[in-house]
Amino acid sequence: MKNKTERKTKKASEKKSAQKQAPVAVNKKAIFDYYFVETIEAGIALEGSEVKSVKNGDVSLRDSFCHIENGNLELKNCQITQYKNVGAFAPDPRRSRRLLLHKTQVSRLAEKAREKGFTIVPVKMYFKGRFVKVEIALAKGKKQYEKKNVIKERDIARTAEREIFGK
C-alpha cells in the first residue's frame, strides 16, 4: 500500500501534466486582428457528444466571438462538428454555448467591453484535467496598417532565417 507522500506526489505530477496539455483549437485570426489587453480562463457548458468532438479536435474558433446575454457570457458562432456516433438528438454545430464565469467577472468584462474599440474574443480551447476550458481575451482591434506591419516584420524575419540557415 502506498503511503501518503507517494499519493501526494503522484497527484501533483498528474496536475502538472494536465496543465501542460496542448490546446485543442487556437483562434489565429483573432491573434492577428486584435491586441489582447487581458486574458481569462472560462469553463464552457457542452453536451456529452460535443466533448467527444472536442477531444477529437473537431473545433473551429475562427469566426467565433463572445456576447453578453441576460447576464451570461455566451460563445457564439463556434463550430464543434457533430460526433459521428451520436444518436438522433445531435446538437447544432454552431449553437450558442454558455461560458462559465463568476458574475463579478462577467460584469467587469461587460463594463470594459462597452468602451469603444474593445471586444471579447475566444483565443484558444484546451483541456484542464477532464474539463474543457476556453481562454477568452478582452481585445482592442488593430488598424489595417498595423496588420501590414506585422506581415512585413514576419517576412523580414523569415528571409533572415533562410539566409542564416541556408535553406
Side-chain angles (χ1 to χ4, degrees), residues 82 110-111 116 120 128 141:
Q82 290 182 356
E111 184 179 310
K116 185 175 180 176
I120 304 168
K128 188 170 185 182

Side-chain angles (χ1 to χ4, degrees), residues 29-37 117 139-155:
K29 184 177 180 187
I31 294 169
F32 181 71
D33 288 342
Y34 298 101
Y35 292 118
F36 298 144
V37 177
K140 187 170 179 87
K142 289 183 184 178
K143 305 284 187 219
Q144 190 66 32
Y145 66 88
E146 293 170 332
K147 293 178 193 178
K148 289 179 182 177
N149 287 340
V150 169
I151 293 170
K152 187 189 296 183
E153 289 171 6
R154 192 183 315 144
D155 288 342

Side-chain angles (χ1 to χ4, degrees), residues 4-166:
K4 195 173 186 178
T5 55
E6 288 176 7
R7 286 187 299 222
K8 283 184 179 179
T9 56
K10 184 180 178 184
K11 283 184 181 180
S13 65
E14 287 175 0
K15 283 184 181 179
K16 286 180 184 176
S17 66
Q19 290 175 351
K20 292 180 183 177
Q21 193 169 13
V24 177
V26 177
N27 192 349
K28 292 181 182 179
K29 184 177 180 187
I31 294 169
F32 181 71
D33 288 342
Y34 298 101
Y35 292 118
F36 298 144
V37 177
E38 177 183 355
T39 59
I40 297 174
E41 179 183 78
I44 185 168
L46 298 174
E47 294 184 11
S49 62
E50 290 178 324
V51 175
K52 291 180 180 184
S53 291
V54 171
K55 282 185 181 180
N56 288 340
D58 297 333
V59 181
S60 174
L61 293 173
R62 183 169 174 82
D63 296 324
S64 58
F65 61 96
C66 295
H67 182 68
I68 297 172
E69 266 183 29
N70 302 328
N72 295 323
L73 188 65
E74 292 193 1
L75 181 64
K76 303 267 187 178
N77 219 18
C78 174
Q79 171 80 28
I80 298 180
T81 309
Q82 290 182 356
Y83 186 63
K84 64 179 179 179
N85 294 331
V86 73
F89 303 105
D92 181 32
R94 287 209 180 258
R95 72 180 180 92
S96 297
R97 293 165 181 91
R98 185 168 174 225
L99 294 177
L100 307 173
L101 290 171
H102 294 284
K103 290 287 182 186
T104 54
Q105 290 176 317
V106 172
S107 62
R108 189 173 54 81
L109 275 174
E111 184 179 310
K112 288 184 178 182
R114 280 190 206 109
E115 294 177 24
K116 185 175 180 176
F118 284 98
T119 186
I120 304 168
V121 292
V123 180
K124 60 180 142 178
M125 187 179 289
Y126 55 92
F127 278 93
K128 188 170 185 182
R130 65 188 184 107
F131 299 108
V132 179
K133 300 289 183 176
V134 178
E135 185 176 300
I136 58 173
L138 180 68
K140 187 170 179 87
K142 289 183 184 178
K143 305 284 187 219
Q144 190 66 32
Y145 66 88
E146 293 170 332
K147 293 178 193 178
K148 289 179 182 177
N149 287 340
V150 169
I151 293 170
K152 187 189 296 183
E153 289 171 6
R154 192 183 315 144
D155 288 342
I156 290 170
R158 199 176 291 147
T159 55
E161 186 176 316
R162 279 190 202 128
E163 290 176 7
I164 291 172
F165 294 113

